[in-house]
Amino acid sequence: GILNAPQWSAVFDAFRDVFDGRKSISYQAGRYTLLLPGDPTATAQPNGDGFASLNVSKAGRVSASGMLADGTKFSESATLSKEGMWPFYTPLYGNQGSLFSWVAFTNSPTADLAGDLSWIRPAQTRSKYFSGGFTNLLSVTGSAYVRPPRRATIMDMTDANLTFAGGALSQSFVNSIALDSNSRVFNQSSNGLQMSFSLATGTFSGRAQDPSTGQRFPFKGVVLQKANSGSGFFLESGLSGNVSLQPTQ
């Protein structure tokens, strides 16, 4: 149908809630990771990628928690439709902004989740990051996540490159890393780096050293097992940069 108001109108859809977790079990049940890509060319918006970890119950209940590339934490819960559509909505910034999307569970060669998401951040003059606000439309992507068994890496890689770009960096840089059989990370580059994975959720975090300035900064992100890659963000000097994890070619 259509909702009408004096200054706007909106189309709405409604879907049946059919999963009960007993007789009708959601085929999407399981854990997933989700990536909210930034814009690497933007100056007034994050270059980095936000992320989330989510769980779908047998009754089709989605519970998600994550962090946007401006450092904002969020959580969301909803129920899947019969067709596997997730009505993703969460208010932000004191109910002055929001995230919203229809996210579809799919089965493409590189992703298990996809959708177009609107991210609205209002102007906040006292904010340390992006005080002018923005409205961003981005295409989210996600992957099923399976916690690795003992002596198995979190992704299909043992040697990888961790690339830092954008934000307040004067130039991008790459750290070469190695993963052992328990997914512990070992820095192979001369500049400092500490990094670890959360095997329960598929997220990662750490601190990196900018080789140009010697300054250290924290970073966070998530892995996408189906794409065999990872991505996230770092915040420095009021800007948001991108961190990307790729296997060494």
Side-chain angles (χ1 to χ4, degrees), residues 17-37:
D17 176 6
V18 300
F19 303 116
D20 59 16
R22 299 183 300 275
K23 293 183 179 180
S24 178
I25 296 176
S26 169
Y27 66 86
Q28 300 91 352
R31 294 206 66 90
Y32 298 83
T33 52
L34 187 71
L35 194 66
L36 289 72

Side-chain angles (χ1 to χ4, degrees), residues 155 157 222-231 244-247:
M155 291 180 291
M157 61 176 75
V222 74
V223 303
L224 298 176
Q225 287 182 330
K226 198 165 191 178
N228 198 37
S229 65
S231 194
S244 175
L245 175 65
Q246 301 287 339

Side-chain angles (χ1 to χ4, degrees), residues 132-175:
F134 54 78
T135 297
N136 195 358
L137 183 64
L138 50 93
S139 296
V140 301
T141 185
S143 169
Y145 176 74
V146 178
R147 179 172 180 154
R150 292 186 61 185
R151 300 196 176 280
T153 54
I154 191 170
M155 291 180 291
D156 185 19
M157 61 176 75
T158 55
D159 297 291
N161 289 327
L162 198 62
T163 303
F164 298 87
L169 295 178
S170 59
Q171 59 184 15
S172 61
F173 65 92
V174 179
N175 273 74

